[in-house]
Amino acid sequence: MRKITLPLLAAGVSVTLTACLDTQQQDAKVTIKKNPYPSSYQPLAQQKTLIKNATVLTGTGEKLENTDVLLQDGKIAQLGKGISASGAMEVDGAGKWLTPGIIDVHSHLGVYPSPSVGSHQDGNEMTSPNTSEVWAEHSVWPQDPGFEAARAGGVTTLQILPGSANLFGGRGVTLRNVPSVTMQGMKFPDAPYGLKMACGENPKRVYGERKELPSTRMGNMAGYRAAWAKATEYKRAWDKYERDYAAGKNPAAPERDLTLDTLKGVLDGEILIHNHCYKAEEMAMMIDLSKEFNYHSGTFHHAIEAYKIAEPLAENGNCAAMWPDWWGFKMEAYDMVQENVAIVDAVKNSCAIVHSDSDSTIQRLNQEAGKILYRAKESGFALTEADAVSWITLNPAKSLGISDKTGSVEIGKNADVVLWNRNPFSVYAQAEQVFVDGAKVYDRVDEKYQAKSDFLLGQK
């Protein structure tokens, strides 16, 4: 009995001492700061506001006639008929329409600002197929007059994306469309980051002309797969470090890699994917790619052929951001139908979005959605204004991961609303008043609410 017991006892002592020593000698834990440029956004001065007797499109599929909306403490406080509120500024909404604030899921304002001169072209880091380490927010010029023009068009929130030259273009950022001298003053608090990826012609052309990979679509896929394989190993190393440290050991932290930090953020479910991807077969491959490496493939932008795979997109939880009638400007943009958005929207659990990708189109996204509504009705789709408004409000909010805060006129949500002078899908519609978090940020007839960027001050 002794010959057996003593070695076991010795082994037990050895394990105990080792664990004890590891615990005592732990270095300070290495942690990656996930938001080193935090939002400093503060809502502008708010006033309790009661908009009376408007036609309200909620963004959730409802059209409410002669309805009152109370904005209080930055939230939508009440919605209904016959509301009264002591101390509220009343706005006569009779004959007018109220919608959620418009959200553009694809903008380059601030990174490709106006004036469009070479020194301001900061939206496309065309130096490597994978530039996941760059962040669009570090290029945003908040004085871009385009933000003001978009605000006059009812845009209250927008995602600024880097360009599409690379397989991985970098991180996008979601902004509140409010006057500010810093990017952080516009940054949507706690909105997830997005990672811009690009399919097809752009990356293979840019790098193919340099005789570098990728020069073909199969080269594109090889580049994605190689990057995600490295990211998987990077995540595995950090996860092991976290486990070992939590167990009281003193592991060495993996070497920091800014490019892989972003891809790891996707694998951890913290960063959302936004794919520049026109063609159906490429969108399908991007979905397969995401399943191979265990992340979600997110939103497809410029999805001209989304109508061909509307059901798989809905089944996989993908949003599709589309134009009403842009097509034919390059080969991968040819196979367009004007019912694209309507066909995608018709599938159960779909997420159809109308986006701009333009500093001028962003000023009239309501009319872009109106074009689709017109064509859809012409082709027999039973769509209404109540359906169409979600393409530019609630669905983009879903795509950006902020639909719990904005995108619809519902009690408790942020008071981001637009009061229109008529049906917002009319070509004659104008946004009269725009509110962000209950603060009026634009009034068509009151210059106090028509902020001018520093760049425009003193210019005629």
Side-chain angles (χ1 to χ4, degrees), residues 290-429:
S290 71
K291 291 178 178 175
E292 179 182 2
F293 291 99
N294 196 30
Y295 65 91
H296 192 263
S297 45
T299 299
F300 291 102
H301 296 236
H302 318 332
I304 273 181
E305 295 186 12
Y307 67 95
K308 297 181 181 181
I309 56 167
E311 291 189 359
L313 290 175
E315 288 168 2
N316 197 52
N318 296 108
C319 293
M322 299 158 277
W323 297 294
D325 50 10
W326 284 17
W327 68 281
F329 45 89
K330 55 182 174 178
M331 197 67 205
E332 65 185 356
Y334 257 87
D335 209 357
M336 166 71 176
V337 297
Q338 290 182 321
E339 296 80 8
N340 192 16
V341 175
I343 294 171
V344 171
D345 182 82
V347 178
K348 185 179 180 182
N349 297 325
S350 64
C351 178
I353 295 170
V354 178
H355 68 342
S356 80
D357 190 24
S358 161
D359 58 355
S360 57
T361 304
I362 193 173
Q363 300 169 32
R364 51 178 185 277
L365 276 171
N366 56 313
Q367 292 168 356
E368 294 292 285
K371 291 181 193 174
I372 297 159
L373 190 58
Y374 175 82
R375 289 295 180 194
K377 287 181 175 178
E378 190 179 55
S379 300
F381 288 86
L383 287 166
T384 67
E385 290 94 345
D387 302 310
V389 76
S390 66
W391 305 334
I392 51 176
T393 57
L394 186 58
N395 288 354
K398 291 176 182 174
S399 163
L400 297 174
I402 53 176
S403 60
D404 59 329
K405 302 179 180 71
T406 188
S408 59
V409 180
E410 294 181 275
I411 293 173
K413 278 201 169 180
N414 293 5
D416 301 341
V417 301
V418 183
L419 186 65
W420 304 86
N421 65 342
R422 66 188 71 217
N423 183 330
F425 302 106
S426 162
V427 294
Y428 300 108

